[in-house]
Short mmCIF file of all heavy atoms in Angstrom, two decimals:
data_model
loop_
_atom_site.label_atom_id
_atom_site.label_comp_id
_atom_site.label_asym_id
_atom_site.label_seq_id
_atom_site.Cartn_x
_atom_site.Cartn_y
_atom_site.Cartn_z
N MET A 28 -13.41 -6.93 6.65
CA MET A 28 -12.79 -5.91 5.86
C MET A 28 -12.12 -4.90 6.71
O MET A 28 -12.65 -4.44 7.79
CB MET A 28 -14.14 -5.09 5.22
CG MET A 28 -13.74 -3.97 4.40
SD MET A 28 -15.21 -3.04 3.77
CE MET A 28 -16.27 -4.24 3.07
N ALA A 29 -11.01 -4.42 6.32
CA ALA A 29 -10.22 -3.42 6.93
C ALA A 29 -10.98 -2.16 7.11
O ALA A 29 -11.45 -1.68 6.12
CB ALA A 29 -8.83 -3.36 6.42
N GLN A 30 -11.06 -1.58 8.26
CA GLN A 30 -11.58 -0.13 8.41
C GLN A 30 -10.57 0.85 8.32
O GLN A 30 -10.75 1.87 7.80
CB GLN A 30 -12.46 -0.05 9.67
CG GLN A 30 -13.59 -1.09 9.82
CD GLN A 30 -14.69 -0.83 8.85
OE1 GLN A 30 -15.10 0.38 8.73
NE2 GLN A 30 -15.11 -1.86 8.19
N ASP A 31 -9.48 0.67 9.03
CA ASP A 31 -8.40 1.57 9.06
C ASP A 31 -7.12 0.99 8.56
O ASP A 31 -6.70 0.01 9.19
CB ASP A 31 -8.24 2.06 10.58
CG ASP A 31 -9.38 2.82 11.08
OD1 ASP A 31 -9.79 3.92 10.33
OD2 ASP A 31 -9.95 2.52 12.05
N VAL A 32 -6.68 1.40 7.48
CA VAL A 32 -5.36 0.89 6.97
C VAL A 32 -4.37 1.83 7.41
O VAL A 32 -4.22 2.97 6.75
CB VAL A 32 -5.49 0.75 5.39
CG1 VAL A 32 -4.16 0.27 4.92
CG2 VAL A 32 -6.56 -0.27 5.06
N LEU A 33 -3.44 1.43 8.24
CA LEU A 33 -2.32 2.25 8.60
C LEU A 33 -1.24 2.15 7.63
O LEU A 33 -0.98 0.93 7.20
CB LEU A 33 -1.74 1.80 10.02
CG LEU A 33 -2.82 1.82 11.03
CD1 LEU A 33 -2.15 1.38 12.42
CD2 LEU A 33 -3.50 3.25 11.20
N CYS A 34 -0.60 3.12 7.17
CA CYS A 34 0.37 3.16 6.06
C CYS A 34 1.40 4.35 6.23
O CYS A 34 0.97 5.57 6.49
CB CYS A 34 -0.22 3.27 4.71
SG CYS A 34 1.00 3.25 3.43
N GLU A 35 2.70 4.08 6.13
CA GLU A 35 3.58 5.22 6.34
C GLU A 35 4.29 5.69 4.96
O GLU A 35 5.08 6.43 4.93
CB GLU A 35 4.78 4.63 7.19
CG GLU A 35 5.52 3.57 6.48
CD GLU A 35 6.79 3.07 7.38
OE1 GLU A 35 6.81 3.37 8.51
OE2 GLU A 35 7.69 2.55 6.80
N VAL A 36 3.62 5.24 3.80
CA VAL A 36 4.20 5.64 2.49
C VAL A 36 3.76 6.98 2.26
O VAL A 36 2.70 7.21 1.50
CB VAL A 36 3.84 4.55 1.41
CG1 VAL A 36 4.39 4.94 0.13
CG2 VAL A 36 4.24 3.16 1.95
N SER A 37 4.34 7.96 2.68
CA SER A 37 3.95 9.43 2.48
C SER A 37 4.08 9.93 1.02
O SER A 37 3.58 11.03 0.73
CB SER A 37 4.72 10.29 3.43
OG SER A 37 6.10 10.15 3.26
N SER A 38 4.87 9.16 0.30
CA SER A 38 4.95 9.55 -1.19
C SER A 38 3.74 9.07 -2.11
O SER A 38 3.89 9.19 -3.25
CB SER A 38 6.35 8.95 -1.65
OG SER A 38 6.42 7.59 -1.43
N CYS A 39 2.77 8.58 -1.38
CA CYS A 39 1.59 8.06 -2.11
C CYS A 39 0.48 9.04 -2.04
O CYS A 39 0.30 9.67 -0.94
CB CYS A 39 1.06 6.74 -1.54
SG CYS A 39 -0.42 6.11 -2.21
N VAL A 40 -0.20 9.44 -3.15
CA VAL A 40 -1.29 10.38 -3.23
C VAL A 40 -2.43 10.05 -2.16
O VAL A 40 -3.16 10.90 -1.72
CB VAL A 40 -1.84 10.64 -4.60
CG1 VAL A 40 -0.83 11.18 -5.47
CG2 VAL A 40 -2.44 9.31 -5.19
N HIS A 41 -2.61 8.79 -1.88
CA HIS A 41 -3.64 8.37 -0.93
C HIS A 41 -3.36 8.45 0.52
O HIS A 41 -4.13 8.19 1.37
CB HIS A 41 -4.13 6.82 -1.26
CG HIS A 41 -4.55 6.66 -2.68
ND1 HIS A 41 -5.67 7.15 -3.17
CD2 HIS A 41 -3.91 6.03 -3.69
CE1 HIS A 41 -5.80 6.86 -4.48
NE2 HIS A 41 -4.77 6.11 -4.88
N ASN A 42 -2.12 8.80 0.75
CA ASN A 42 -1.67 8.66 2.18
C ASN A 42 -2.07 10.06 2.96
O ASN A 42 -2.03 11.06 2.39
CB ASN A 42 -0.14 8.53 2.16
CG ASN A 42 0.38 8.15 3.61
OD1 ASN A 42 0.49 8.96 4.45
ND2 ASN A 42 0.57 6.86 3.85
N MET A 43 -2.47 9.76 4.18
CA MET A 43 -2.93 10.97 5.02
C MET A 43 -1.94 11.10 6.14
O MET A 43 -1.86 10.35 7.12
CB MET A 43 -4.26 10.54 5.53
CG MET A 43 -5.44 10.31 4.42
SD MET A 43 -6.86 9.58 5.08
CE MET A 43 -7.60 10.95 6.10
N HIS A 44 -1.19 12.15 6.03
CA HIS A 44 -0.22 12.59 7.04
C HIS A 44 0.87 11.51 7.34
O HIS A 44 1.33 11.49 8.51
CB HIS A 44 -0.89 13.02 8.28
CG HIS A 44 -2.08 13.98 8.04
ND1 HIS A 44 -1.86 15.24 7.35
CD2 HIS A 44 -3.37 13.83 8.11
CE1 HIS A 44 -3.08 15.77 7.30
NE2 HIS A 44 -3.93 15.03 7.68
N GLY A 45 1.17 10.68 6.44
CA GLY A 45 2.23 9.61 6.62
C GLY A 45 1.68 8.58 7.59
O GLY A 45 2.63 7.86 8.24
N GLN A 46 0.39 8.46 7.86
CA GLN A 46 -0.09 7.57 8.96
C GLN A 46 -1.10 6.58 8.45
O GLN A 46 -1.15 5.50 8.93
CB GLN A 46 -0.66 8.37 10.09
CG GLN A 46 0.40 9.27 10.76
CD GLN A 46 -0.17 10.10 11.89
OE1 GLN A 46 -1.33 10.35 11.95
NE2 GLN A 46 0.73 10.50 12.79
N LYS A 47 -2.11 7.18 7.66
CA LYS A 47 -3.19 6.28 7.13
C LYS A 47 -3.43 6.40 5.59
O LYS A 47 -3.06 7.24 5.05
CB LYS A 47 -4.50 6.73 7.83
CG LYS A 47 -4.66 6.36 9.27
CD LYS A 47 -5.97 6.94 9.81
CE LYS A 47 -7.16 6.34 9.34
NZ LYS A 47 -8.47 6.67 10.12
N CYS A 48 -4.11 5.22 5.19
CA CYS A 48 -4.48 5.23 3.84
C CYS A 48 -5.89 5.77 3.60
O CYS A 48 -6.83 5.41 4.35
CB CYS A 48 -4.46 3.77 3.31
SG CYS A 48 -5.02 3.61 1.60
N GLY A 49 -6.11 6.63 2.61
CA GLY A 49 -7.43 7.24 2.39
C GLY A 49 -8.10 6.65 1.16
O GLY A 49 -9.20 7.20 0.77
N ALA A 50 -7.55 5.69 0.52
CA ALA A 50 -8.07 5.03 -0.68
C ALA A 50 -9.48 4.34 -0.28
O ALA A 50 -9.60 3.72 0.83
CB ALA A 50 -7.15 4.21 -1.42
N THR A 51 -10.40 4.32 -1.22
CA THR A 51 -11.64 3.52 -1.03
C THR A 51 -11.30 2.05 -0.85
O THR A 51 -12.00 1.37 0.08
CB THR A 51 -12.51 3.81 -2.23
OG1 THR A 51 -12.71 5.12 -2.36
CG2 THR A 51 -13.92 3.05 -2.06
N GLN A 52 -10.41 1.55 -1.57
CA GLN A 52 -10.00 0.07 -1.49
C GLN A 52 -8.51 0.07 -1.84
O GLN A 52 -8.02 0.92 -2.57
CB GLN A 52 -10.78 -0.86 -2.21
CG GLN A 52 -10.76 -0.66 -3.76
CD GLN A 52 -11.49 -1.73 -4.53
OE1 GLN A 52 -12.34 -2.35 -3.96
NE2 GLN A 52 -11.32 -1.76 -5.73
N ILE A 53 -7.84 -1.00 -1.41
CA ILE A 53 -6.42 -1.24 -1.81
C ILE A 53 -6.28 -2.56 -2.31
O ILE A 53 -7.05 -3.43 -1.98
CB ILE A 53 -5.42 -0.94 -0.63
CG1 ILE A 53 -5.65 -1.85 0.52
CG2 ILE A 53 -5.42 0.59 -0.24
CD1 ILE A 53 -4.54 -1.77 1.40
N TYR A 54 -5.28 -2.78 -3.15
CA TYR A 54 -4.92 -4.00 -3.77
C TYR A 54 -3.52 -4.36 -3.37
O TYR A 54 -2.54 -3.67 -3.73
CB TYR A 54 -5.07 -3.97 -5.25
CG TYR A 54 -4.81 -5.09 -6.11
CD1 TYR A 54 -4.86 -6.37 -5.61
CD2 TYR A 54 -4.53 -4.96 -7.52
CE1 TYR A 54 -4.67 -7.43 -6.41
CE2 TYR A 54 -4.16 -6.03 -8.24
CZ TYR A 54 -4.29 -7.24 -7.68
OH TYR A 54 -4.09 -8.30 -8.46
N VAL A 55 -3.44 -5.47 -2.59
CA VAL A 55 -2.05 -5.84 -2.12
C VAL A 55 -1.74 -7.26 -2.99
O VAL A 55 -2.40 -8.05 -2.96
CB VAL A 55 -2.08 -6.10 -0.72
CG1 VAL A 55 -0.78 -6.62 -0.15
CG2 VAL A 55 -2.57 -4.92 0.08
N VAL A 56 -0.44 -7.12 -3.36
CA VAL A 56 0.02 -8.23 -4.27
C VAL A 56 1.26 -8.91 -3.73
O VAL A 56 1.92 -8.19 -2.78
CB VAL A 56 0.27 -7.78 -5.66
CG1 VAL A 56 -0.96 -7.25 -6.32
CG2 VAL A 56 1.30 -6.62 -5.68
N ASN A 57 1.66 -9.98 -4.20
CA ASN A 57 2.91 -10.58 -3.88
C ASN A 57 4.00 -9.82 -4.48
O ASN A 57 3.93 -9.31 -5.50
CB ASN A 57 2.97 -12.06 -4.43
CG ASN A 57 2.11 -12.99 -3.67
OD1 ASN A 57 2.13 -13.26 -2.47
ND2 ASN A 57 1.08 -13.61 -4.39
N HIS A 58 5.08 -9.69 -3.72
CA HIS A 58 6.28 -8.99 -4.26
C HIS A 58 7.09 -9.93 -5.16
O HIS A 58 7.40 -11.02 -4.75
CB HIS A 58 7.11 -8.65 -2.92
CG HIS A 58 8.28 -7.79 -3.22
ND1 HIS A 58 8.17 -6.55 -3.75
CD2 HIS A 58 9.55 -7.95 -2.95
CE1 HIS A 58 9.41 -5.95 -3.77
NE2 HIS A 58 10.24 -6.81 -3.30
N ARG A 59 7.43 -9.46 -6.27
CA ARG A 59 8.30 -10.15 -7.29
C ARG A 59 7.78 -11.49 -7.68
O ARG A 59 8.34 -12.47 -7.76
CB ARG A 59 9.75 -10.45 -6.65
CG ARG A 59 10.39 -9.20 -6.44
CD ARG A 59 11.80 -9.37 -6.12
NE ARG A 59 12.58 -8.12 -5.81
CZ ARG A 59 13.36 -8.00 -4.75
NH1 ARG A 59 13.55 -8.95 -3.94
NH2 ARG A 59 13.94 -6.84 -4.59
N ASP A 60 6.34 -11.53 -7.86
CA ASP A 60 5.68 -12.69 -8.46
C ASP A 60 5.90 -14.05 -7.75
O ASP A 60 5.97 -15.05 -8.49
CB ASP A 60 6.07 -12.82 -9.97
CG ASP A 60 5.51 -11.73 -10.77
OD1 ASP A 60 4.44 -11.00 -10.38
OD2 ASP A 60 6.09 -11.19 -11.72
N LYS A 61 6.11 -14.05 -6.55
CA LYS A 61 6.17 -15.39 -5.80
C LYS A 61 5.26 -15.24 -4.62
O LYS A 61 4.96 -14.18 -4.11
CB LYS A 61 7.52 -15.64 -5.36
CG LYS A 61 8.18 -14.84 -4.29
CD LYS A 61 9.44 -15.47 -3.77
CE LYS A 61 9.78 -15.04 -2.47
NZ LYS A 61 10.92 -15.81 -1.81
N ASN A 62 4.78 -16.40 -4.11
CA ASN A 62 3.90 -16.34 -2.94
C ASN A 62 4.60 -15.86 -1.62
O ASN A 62 5.71 -16.38 -1.36
CB ASN A 62 3.26 -17.70 -2.70
CG ASN A 62 2.14 -18.15 -3.59
OD1 ASN A 62 1.55 -17.07 -4.04
ND2 ASN A 62 2.03 -19.33 -3.98
N ALA A 63 4.18 -14.77 -1.14
CA ALA A 63 4.76 -14.17 0.03
C ALA A 63 4.85 -15.15 1.25
O ALA A 63 3.95 -15.95 1.49
CB ALA A 63 4.05 -12.92 0.48
N GLU A 64 5.95 -15.09 1.91
CA GLU A 64 6.12 -15.97 3.16
C GLU A 64 6.43 -14.96 4.33
O GLU A 64 6.53 -15.44 5.44
CB GLU A 64 7.43 -16.84 3.03
CG GLU A 64 7.07 -17.96 1.93
CD GLU A 64 8.25 -18.96 1.71
OE1 GLU A 64 9.29 -18.75 2.36
OE2 GLU A 64 8.04 -19.78 0.95
N SER A 65 6.54 -13.60 4.07
CA SER A 65 6.58 -12.70 5.10
C SER A 65 6.06 -11.34 4.60
O SER A 65 5.87 -11.14 3.37
CB SER A 65 8.06 -12.44 5.48
OG SER A 65 8.76 -11.84 4.59
N SER A 66 5.80 -10.46 5.53
CA SER A 66 5.20 -9.10 5.11
C SER A 66 6.02 -8.33 4.11
O SER A 66 5.59 -7.58 3.41
CB SER A 66 4.80 -8.31 6.35
OG SER A 66 6.03 -8.10 7.11
N SER A 67 7.42 -8.61 4.27
CA SER A 67 8.30 -7.91 3.39
C SER A 67 8.20 -8.37 1.88
O SER A 67 8.80 -7.67 1.08
CB SER A 67 9.76 -8.02 3.82
OG SER A 67 10.16 -9.36 3.77
N GLU A 68 7.43 -9.42 1.77
CA GLU A 68 7.26 -9.96 0.33
C GLU A 68 5.92 -9.56 -0.23
O GLU A 68 5.43 -10.22 -1.19
CB GLU A 68 7.48 -11.36 0.31
CG GLU A 68 8.99 -11.80 0.72
CD GLU A 68 9.18 -13.27 0.82
OE1 GLU A 68 8.24 -14.14 0.77
OE2 GLU A 68 10.33 -13.63 0.91
N THR A 69 5.33 -8.53 0.29
CA THR A 69 4.00 -7.99 -0.23
C THR A 69 4.13 -6.53 -0.66
O THR A 69 5.03 -5.83 -0.05
CB THR A 69 2.90 -8.14 0.69
OG1 THR A 69 3.13 -7.31 1.87
CG2 THR A 69 2.72 -9.59 1.21
N ASP A 70 3.29 -6.14 -1.48
CA ASP A 70 3.36 -4.62 -2.02
C ASP A 70 1.92 -4.16 -2.19
O ASP A 70 1.06 -4.96 -2.58
CB ASP A 70 4.14 -4.61 -3.33
CG ASP A 70 5.60 -4.95 -3.32
OD1 ASP A 70 6.24 -4.30 -2.47
OD2 ASP A 70 5.90 -5.78 -3.95
N CYS A 71 1.69 -2.97 -2.07
CA CYS A 71 0.46 -2.28 -2.39
C CYS A 71 0.38 -1.72 -3.81
O CYS A 71 1.19 -0.93 -4.17
CB CYS A 71 0.18 -1.03 -1.41
SG CYS A 71 -1.32 -0.18 -1.86
N LYS A 72 -0.41 -2.33 -4.64
CA LYS A 72 -0.45 -2.04 -6.05
C LYS A 72 -1.29 -0.72 -6.30
O LYS A 72 -1.30 -0.25 -7.33
CB LYS A 72 -1.01 -3.20 -6.84
CG LYS A 72 -0.69 -3.08 -8.31
CD LYS A 72 -0.93 -4.42 -9.09
CE LYS A 72 -0.44 -4.29 -10.51
NZ LYS A 72 -0.65 -5.51 -11.16
N THR A 73 -2.02 -0.30 -5.25
CA THR A 73 -2.86 0.89 -5.42
C THR A 73 -1.96 2.15 -5.25
O THR A 73 -2.44 3.24 -5.58
CB THR A 73 -3.92 0.83 -4.20
OG1 THR A 73 -4.61 -0.36 -4.35
CG2 THR A 73 -4.94 2.00 -4.49
N PHE A 74 -0.78 2.02 -4.81
CA PHE A 74 0.20 3.22 -4.74
C PHE A 74 0.23 3.94 -5.97
O PHE A 74 0.27 3.47 -7.01
CB PHE A 74 1.63 2.61 -4.41
CG PHE A 74 2.65 3.69 -4.45
CD1 PHE A 74 2.90 4.60 -3.39
CD2 PHE A 74 3.38 3.95 -5.72
CE1 PHE A 74 3.86 5.50 -3.46
CE2 PHE A 74 4.36 4.85 -5.78
CZ PHE A 74 4.55 5.66 -4.67
N GLU A 75 0.07 5.27 -5.68
CA GLU A 75 0.29 6.22 -6.78
C GLU A 75 1.15 7.49 -6.23
O GLU A 75 0.90 7.97 -5.15
CB GLU A 75 -1.05 6.92 -7.23
CG GLU A 75 -2.02 6.02 -7.89
CD GLU A 75 -3.29 6.76 -8.32
OE1 GLU A 75 -3.22 7.60 -9.16
OE2 GLU A 75 -4.38 6.49 -7.75
N PRO A 76 2.27 7.71 -6.96
CA PRO A 76 3.18 8.64 -6.51
C PRO A 76 2.71 10.09 -6.43
O PRO A 76 1.79 10.57 -7.26
CB PRO A 76 4.48 8.62 -7.44
CG PRO A 76 3.82 8.04 -8.67
CD PRO A 76 2.72 7.11 -8.25
N THR A 77 3.06 10.92 -5.40
CA THR A 77 2.83 12.25 -5.38
C THR A 77 3.60 13.03 -6.47
O THR A 77 4.60 12.50 -6.98
CB THR A 77 2.97 12.85 -3.98
OG1 THR A 77 4.39 12.63 -3.71
CG2 THR A 77 2.15 12.27 -2.97
N ASP A 78 3.38 14.26 -6.58
CA ASP A 78 4.10 15.03 -7.60
C ASP A 78 5.35 15.61 -6.94
O ASP A 78 5.64 16.69 -7.09
CB ASP A 78 3.30 16.21 -8.14
CG ASP A 78 2.10 15.78 -9.03
OD1 ASP A 78 2.23 14.65 -9.53
OD2 ASP A 78 1.17 16.50 -9.09
N VAL A 79 6.06 14.81 -6.28
CA VAL A 79 7.25 15.24 -5.54
C VAL A 79 8.40 15.89 -6.48
O VAL A 79 8.66 15.33 -7.53
CB VAL A 79 7.92 14.12 -4.70
CG1 VAL A 79 9.13 14.77 -3.84
CG2 VAL A 79 6.93 13.47 -3.82
S1 SF4 B 9 -2.67 3.18 -1.51
FE1 SF4 B 9 -1.24 1.74 -0.70
S2 SF4 B 9 0.71 2.91 -0.46
FE2 SF4 B 9 -1.00 4.37 -0.91
S3 SF4 B 9 -1.51 5.05 1.22
FE3 SF4 B 9 -2.87 3.42 0.70
S4 SF4 B 9 -1.93 1.58 1.51
FE4 SF4 B 9 -0.36 3.22 1.45
#
């Protein structure tokens, strides 16, 4: 189980200072409904936008 999830998505409400995820758990899915063959083909579905 991941203890520290590093994440730079500062536009997410769960993000801490543009460096870490503060969510209790995250859900990572394949990008565009196909099996990922590289990290660029995955997405975090737990993302929630900030009120920017
Ligand atoms: S929920 Fe996903 S996008 Fe948001 S901070 Fe956590 S890992 Fe990043």
Side-chain angles (χ1 to χ4, degrees):
M28 181 189 306
Q30 298 293 315
D31 293 305
V32 178
L33 305 181
C34 179
E35 66 177 19
V36 184
S37 58
S38 56
C39 175
V40 297
H41 300 292
N42 197 279
M43 301 166 68
H44 313 297
Q46 297 179 338
K47 278 178 74 171
C48 177
T51 305
Q52 64 178 14
I53 61 170
Y54 179 24
V55 180
V56 296
N57 289 300
H58 188 59
R59 296 190 187 132
D60 294 330
K61 70 169 202 169
N62 285 330
E64 294 179 358
S65 71
S66 59
S67 64
E68 294 176 349
T69 66
D70 293 303
C71 177
K72 201 167 184 176
T73 309
F74 170 83
E75 291 182 68
T77 57
D78 292 335
V79 184

